[in-house]
Amino acid sequence: MGVSGVFLATNEVISSSGIAKPGMRAKLSRMSFAPLPDNLPLQKSRLLRRFEDLISPKTDAEFEALARESRMLTLQNFGRTMRLFAPLYVSNECVNSCRYCGFSRDNPILRVTLSLDQVIAEGRYLASEGFRQVLLVAGEHPKFVSRTYLADCVHALASDFSSISIEVGPMEAAEYAPIVEAGAEGLVVYQETYNREIYAEMHTSGPKRDFNWRLDCAERGYDAGFRRLGIGALFGLAAWEQEAVALAAHVEYLLKRCWQAQITVSLPRLRPAAGEFQPAFSMTDRELAQLICAFRISFPQVGIVLSTRERAALRDVLTSLGVTMMSAGSHTEPGGYTGQGASDLHRTVRGRIVAPAFQNGEGTLATGQFEISDERSAAEVATVLRRRGFEPVWKDWDPALLAT
Ligand code: SF4
């Protein structure tokens, strides 16, 4: 099916209320976003054409008008609230070679997979800091990070957190089922780049080389029962404008195909990491701000996530523009919050596990995925948010309320 066919078919099965009619959901579940990025230069919906205009160069006055509209729509749809969450890295083992990532299998970094008790200790620390929303993150390594391991982690953390999401290697829908049953409600998977050629250059070995497998992951997660879906692109791998339009097309598609899920979008820019990859494409602070406005104006009800990759001063400004969800006080190394796993470290050299043999200047914790930029604690971030008129939300719903 060509791109227009997919859009037409998708629109036909959605009622005017935006709710899929009974009997039509099967048609939706047979669709796939995979053919769309290749045809985007030729076929764009009206919404995408407007989005493209919103991210085109603007004068200062035009940019101010965009910012005002974005701020107003954010207030209308989300109020003056900001959801706070923390990533909890459980493993930095990985079978993939991604040129931009510190966890890439070729990097001889210090690695560990936390035991269940160690994951619980990290979770308890985050809960004591106030967090009730956590994102479990791991490299892709089926031996160390199996679906059973992930389900056990989710189950063990369920009493401390009202919302648990995972960001791990893509799986089949059936493989996600036990993780959803254990209590996970969110699935995060970034395409990294929507440009197939650059994707092939960046992912030199491992299962992640399969572009379409990753692209359809959010849909498989939805079919497995995840009701929060997070997608994103890693800005710096390709021209930001092209990535942005493809990401917007993906959001537009998922809003229809996965109509019961809450969709969030992330716009991370590359940060320094082991392997010292240098981004080929830049994106200025102003371009990032404009992109946030474009997403808010085009998709008023979609959550926009901002990570600690960005520096504190910029994060404070971007919170007023359209961001609805922030990480805070983050560590990107497994065990980073409480020092868990320090006695179980090893290195992986060409796929072989060897002793850690600490080098000069190295700490005794596992290596992080990338350097964070905003190093403020969660409490400091919350204080700044309040000072700027926002209510930090550590927990946005309670399962007990839904059960009554
Ligand atoms: S980006 Fe993900 S899959 Fe690639 S090396 Fe890093 S952790 Fe592994």
Side-chain angles (χ1 to χ4, degrees), residues 357-389:
F358 295 105
Q359 290 159 10
N360 279 348
E362 265 185 337
T364 50
L365 279 179
T367 309
Q369 188 176 28
F370 55 85
E371 290 176 18
I372 64 164
S373 186
D374 183 351
E375 295 187 334
R376 295 173 298 180
S377 70
E380 285 173 301
V381 171
T383 301
V384 172
L385 284 170
R386 282 195 203 94
R387 203 184 302 142
R388 295 176 66 86

Side-chain angles (χ1 to χ4, degrees), residues 90-165:
V90 297
S91 173
N92 61 355
E93 314 278 358
C94 196
V95 293
N96 290 307
S97 298
C98 307
R99 288 177 52 201
Y100 49 83
C101 178
F103 292 172
S104 184
R105 130 191 226 279
D106 305 323
N107 291 335
I109 60 168
L110 295 170
R111 296 183 192 264
V112 73
T113 299
L114 299 183
S115 69
L116 207 52
D117 285 344
Q118 292 167 341
V119 172
I120 292 169
E122 290 276 283
R124 291 265 151 84
Y125 170 83
L126 290 173
S128 75
E129 289 283 287
F131 289 106
R132 294 295 176 270
Q133 304 175 70
V134 71
L135 173 67
L136 298 188
V137 189
E140 183 167 351
H141 202 305
K143 188 174 134 202
F144 292 102
V145 188
S146 67
R147 60 182 165 169
T148 310
Y149 168 77
L150 287 167
D152 289 346
C153 288
V154 171
H155 195 258
L157 294 171
S159 57
D160 279 328
F161 295 94
S162 62
S163 173
I164 303 176
S165 297

Side-chain angles (χ1 to χ4, degrees), residues 27 44 58 61 106 109 114 162 168-169 249 267 276 346 399 403:
K27 279 189 198 172
K44 290 192 190 91
K58 301 279 180 253
D106 305 323
I109 60 168
L114 299 183
S162 62
V168 301
L267 314 167
E276 292 173 7
H346 60 263

